[in-house]
Amino acid sequence: MPTFYIAPSGTDTPPPVGGTSTTPWRTWAFAFANSNPGDTLIVQDGTYTRAVNGVIALAKFCTITTPYIIQAQNSRQPLIQDDGAGKIIHIYNSSYITLNGLRIRSIDNSAFPASQNLVQIGADSVDGFPGAVTHHITIKNNIFSHNNRYGNTALLTGRAMNDSLWEGNEFYDYHRHACNLGRDSHRNVVRLNYANSRNRADISGGFPSGWTSVGDSGFIHYTTGGTTTAADNIFENNISEGNGNGFDVEAVNGPHRNKFVGNISLNDQQGVWLRARSTTLLSGQPVDCLLENNVIITPAATAFRLSGNRNTLVKNCTIYDGAAVGFLADVEADPATGTAFDGAGTVSVFGTNILTILNTTGVSIVTTHTNPDRVIDIWTMTNVNAFGNTTNFSPASSNPNYVSPTTINPNLGAVRCWIPDASPMKGIGVGGADVGANILYRYASVPGTGTVTLSATPLWDLITGEFPHGAIIGGVNDTPTTSCYNVHTRLGIDPAQFPAGYGGVPDTTPPAIPTGLTVT
Amino acid sequence: MANDSAFLDWNSNTEPDLLGYIIKFGLYPGTYTHTVGLNNGTPNPPSQATLTNTYFNSDGLWYFAVSAFDNSSNESALSSPVSKRITRTQAKLRHVR
């Protein structure tokens, strides 16, 4: 398969003279026109601009055996510098394309207040491509930052995109959404990404966001405008830090059957919020969603909120030290009409093995309301341990919908992301499982399946405790308080606290010698 | 405790992966010919045990020590030994006859 090269100051000369490592191309359009499915385009170091190099507007249908790969020569050294005009990268009408190792950033530009995403994968009628489907797109190991705050702009958006993988990317400095899985998206996997808005506030005269002093969301599934019910997407092992909503679903047309597994929210305003956006339609509710092994740490507002969901299952999650309600199930109202956002009318939530501690309220299920449509119709909470909250259970734990509720000190010590070996939460959950989350191994779900797969590969570095991350670039992702490379230190990941035998490393340390032996 | 049995007690270990203890005993200090394992299947195994007369096959001064083991089969070194003179009831009865 041919390999071609592009450089910021290259020359657009046709092959075989042009497109080599010594005579690289200059513009994206020329490169795409002179390369084919199965080729690799190596992106050399330097800064690429719209004025000199154009935009990465790519439409190529490739196959699993002839993928098209756009790859940094040196990871994260090429910078794609946008001028705020929007969509500096747009991959549409495409399949089996990989974008690997770039940095992409924009600037605030009041001349472009339109809703243009910095990077968009997929397109639909709004973009002028009705009926288009983009699939099997891999976006990995890139750094996205600095959206144009004058517009309603996300850093990375998928739209009418199926069976794709977004993995190992980092997102910084945005006032709206970092990673947005948009409408008409199916069977995608969003994995091992890190998003931190770094307190990027709204700009005067710019687009007003939902959370004015931080980015609106780290990871959002926002399905407004869809023509199909988005379904079967998986968010796994992502970390949101310092955002408005860590993991947010706005269900206008789906999601159904979505899974959130092994994710972490750290110091967000709200950790997880799955919310209905229809007063009449089932497609406007989160339906049959699964949230398992997620951890919410020190949120400033509600930690874990399910609004207007139907048949959502929450398993083995840990909610730690929130400033408001830990676990909330409720039904919102349409602010325009006051009508309940309860979709097709039945709202149901089921929780098992949840650990909720040190919040104002551990568990709050809205069971009474002046509007009868704004209560949870069907719910059970099984083997939930609520400890150290100002109010542990609301309604009270005597409500028959609780099964085996407990108020036991879990003795987590400094550990947040798994249940320590010595914790009384070990093995007391449904089926002998722990109560609370265990985020220790990597999920490895396959795009296109909608099925969650947990691997035996340790998530955390066995020696340093680090979360998996790509190259560290000075001045970009090396800020010690707000970067991915050392988020493990803020999460309290201490290799000395790993469970015995974690990662297959033999435990060769003997117990201490017993003392105080007496005989009578 | 009767002279034909021994009650042993020690401080609990605190390792999270602790699985149990092994009592080792014999008639000579440092040479332990008998062992008894203690493991109740929880992270908090008992730190005391009673050895009844059936554990002892002769009278004399018996020496005892304890080690701890974890769920990776790592075993600690032995504790400082203690001793007790054991006089088996059954042996006394035979002597009377």
Side-chain angles (χ1 to χ4, degrees):
Chain A
M1 302 293 183
T3 296
F4 297 107
Y5 293 79
I6 187 170
S9 55
T11 303
D12 283 344
T13 304
V17 176
T20 68
S21 61
T22 53
T23 56
W25 292 322
R26 172 178 290 208
T27 65
W28 299 103
F30 191 88
F32 296 151
N34 286 280
S35 53
N36 297 293
D39 295 348
T40 296
L41 179 63
I42 301 295
V43 185
Q44 296 187 335
D45 297 357
T47 299
Y48 297 77
T49 65
R50 187 185 297 262
V52 175
N53 310 100
V55 300
I56 302 178
L58 178 58
K60 273 186 195 300
F61 278 112
C62 307
T63 70
I64 191 170
T65 55
T66 59
Y68 189 80
I69 299 169
I70 303 172
Q71 164 101 36
Q73 185 165 39
N74 297 296
S75 187
R76 297 176 168 178
Q77 289 300 327
L79 170 62
I80 314 301
Q81 177 65 62
D82 187 31
D83 57 4
K87 283 197 187 75
I88 192 67
I89 298 178
H90 190 194
I91 299 173
Y92 59 99
N93 278 355
S94 295
S95 59
Y96 292 99
I97 289 173
T98 294
L99 189 69
N100 185 352
L102 307 181
R103 278 194 291 134
I104 307 106
R105 62 175 290 164
S106 190
I107 59 172
D108 294 322
N109 187 337
S110 60
F112 296 96
S115 299
Q116 293 279 1
N117 300 299
L118 178 62
V119 176
Q120 183 172 313
I121 312 301
D124 61 13
S125 56
V126 175
D127 304 298
F129 299 95
V133 175
T134 295
H135 60 94
H136 292 95
I137 308 298
T138 300
I139 306 296
K140 61 187 293 188
N141 196 32
N142 304 285
I143 298 177
F144 304 84
S145 70
H146 298 87
N147 69 326
N148 176 10
R149 285 180 287 182
Y150 286 95
N152 179 14
T153 58
L155 291 178
L156 173 62
T157 286
R159 178 180 294 176
M161 180 192 77
N162 297 337
D163 308 325
S164 294
L165 174 65
W166 294 354
E167 180 175 25
N169 302 289
E170 297 176 30
F171 302 85
Y172 298 104
D173 301 285
Y174 44 88
H175 86 308
R176 281 288 276 164
H177 310 301
C179 180
N180 173 27
L181 197 55
R183 56 183 175 251
D184 296 315
S185 297
H186 304 266
R187 302 177 303 277
N188 302 288
V189 175
V190 178
R191 175 162 69 216
L192 288 169
N193 302 286
Y194 172 83
N196 191 325
S197 72
R198 290 176 168 167
N199 297 323
R200 190 162 166 88
D202 289 7
I203 192 170
S204 178
F207 182 85
S209 72
W211 296 91
T212 57
S213 59
V214 293
D216 276 354
S217 67
F219 301 88
I220 185 170
H221 193 359
Y222 197 175
T223 61
T224 186
T227 58
T228 62
T229 302
D232 298 306
N233 299 291
I234 300 171
F235 294 76
E236 58 189 24
N237 289 142
N238 301 287
I239 297 178
S240 169
E241 182 176 13
N243 295 296
N245 297 314
F247 299 87
D248 188 6
V249 163
E250 297 201 29
V252 181
N253 212 333
H256 290 183
R257 301 183 305 278
N258 276 26
K259 285 91 173 177
F260 292 79
V261 292
N263 299 293
I264 297 169
S265 164
L266 174 63
N267 297 331
D268 290 322
Q269 299 296 305
Q270 299 192 131
V272 172
W273 193 6
L274 274 60
R275 41 183 160 163
R277 276 293 172 267
S278 172
T279 59
T280 56
L281 301 175
L282 184 64
S283 59
Q285 286 180 276
V287 176
D288 294 332
C289 292
L290 169 70
L291 301 103
E292 184 170 11
N293 280 323
N294 300 289
V295 174
I296 316 299
I297 303 171
T298 55
T302 304
F304 203 110
R305 186 174 181 183
L306 306 174
S307 301
N309 284 225
R310 178 182 285 210
N311 200 33
T312 289
L313 175 59
V314 182
K315 296 174 63 180
N316 292 93
C317 291
T318 296
I319 302 165
Y320 183 88
D321 198 13
V325 178
F327 183 99
L328 172 62
D330 67 351
V331 179
E332 290 188 290
D334 184 334
T337 65
T339 306
F341 275 140
D342 62 348
T346 299
V347 177
S348 54
V349 171
F350 306 95
T352 61
N353 302 342
I354 296 170
L355 175 60
T356 173
I357 59 177
L358 302 175
N359 308 287
T360 55
T361 302
V363 175
S364 177
I365 312 293
V366 176
T367 57
T368 59
H369 198 280
T370 54
N371 180 349
D373 289 336
R374 295 192 60 188
V375 301
I376 307 302
D377 300 304
I378 304 168
W379 64 278
T380 59
M381 296 292 279
T382 304
N383 286 37
V384 172
N385 187 61
F387 176 81
N389 306 285
T390 307
T391 300
N392 283 325
F393 294 98
S394 175
S397 59
S398 57
N399 187 295
N401 289 31
Y402 293 108
V403 179
S404 304
T406 53
T407 54
I408 302 169
N409 185 343
N411 285 329
L412 296 183
V415 177
R416 305 285 179 269
C417 295
W418 60 86
I419 302 302
D421 287 339
S423 169
M425 297 295 101
K426 294 297 288 185
I428 68 166
V430 175
D434 299 344
V435 167
N438 283 300
I439 303 179
L440 286 163
Y441 294 93
R442 298 189 191 193
Y443 286 91
S445 304
V446 178
T449 66
T451 301
V452 169
T453 301
L454 180 62
S455 78
T457 303
L459 174 64
W460 312 104
D461 185 280
L462 297 175
I463 305 301
T464 65
E466 289 179 25
F467 181 71
H469 63 82
I472 300 172
I473 307 300
V476 177
N477 64 342
D478 64 342
T479 306
T481 55
T482 58
S483 296
C484 179
Y485 79 95
N486 68 346
V487 67
H488 66 290
T489 62
R490 299 187 293 283
L491 290 169
I493 305 298
D494 178 1
Q497 301 294 322
F498 284 149
Y502 174 59
V505 175
D507 171 20
T508 59
T509 304
I513 299 171
T515 60
L517 178 63
T518 62
V519 60
T520 55
Chain B
M1 182 59 61
N3 288 335
D4 64 345
S5 58
F7 175 73
L8 294 140
D9 183 71
W10 60 93
N11 299 326
S12 297
N13 279 40
T14 58
E15 291 83 3
D17 59 341
L18 186 72
L19 206 56
Y21 299 95
I22 300 173
I23 302 170
K24 302 185 179 184
F25 54 107
L27 285 165
Y28 301 95
T31 302
Y32 302 109
T33 53
H34 297 58
T35 61
V36 173
L38 298 174
N39 169 22
N40 64 359
T42 78
N44 300 299
S47 59
Q48 54 183 225
T50 298
L51 302 182
T52 61
N53 59 357
T54 58
Y55 285 92
F56 305 105
N57 57 8
S58 64
D59 293 349
L61 186 62
W62 286 77
Y63 294 85
F64 305 87
V66 177
S67 66
F69 65 98
D70 63 22
N71 58 17
S72 297
S73 299
N74 298 306
E75 183 179 353
S76 74
L78 285 166
S79 68
S80 299
V82 294
S83 63
K84 180 180 180 181
R85 182 166 298 282
I86 300 296
T87 304
R88 295 173 303 155
T89 305
Q90 193 66 27
K92 282 184 177 178
L93 289 174
R94 287 199 191 101
H95 181 73
V96 170
R97 285 174 185 166

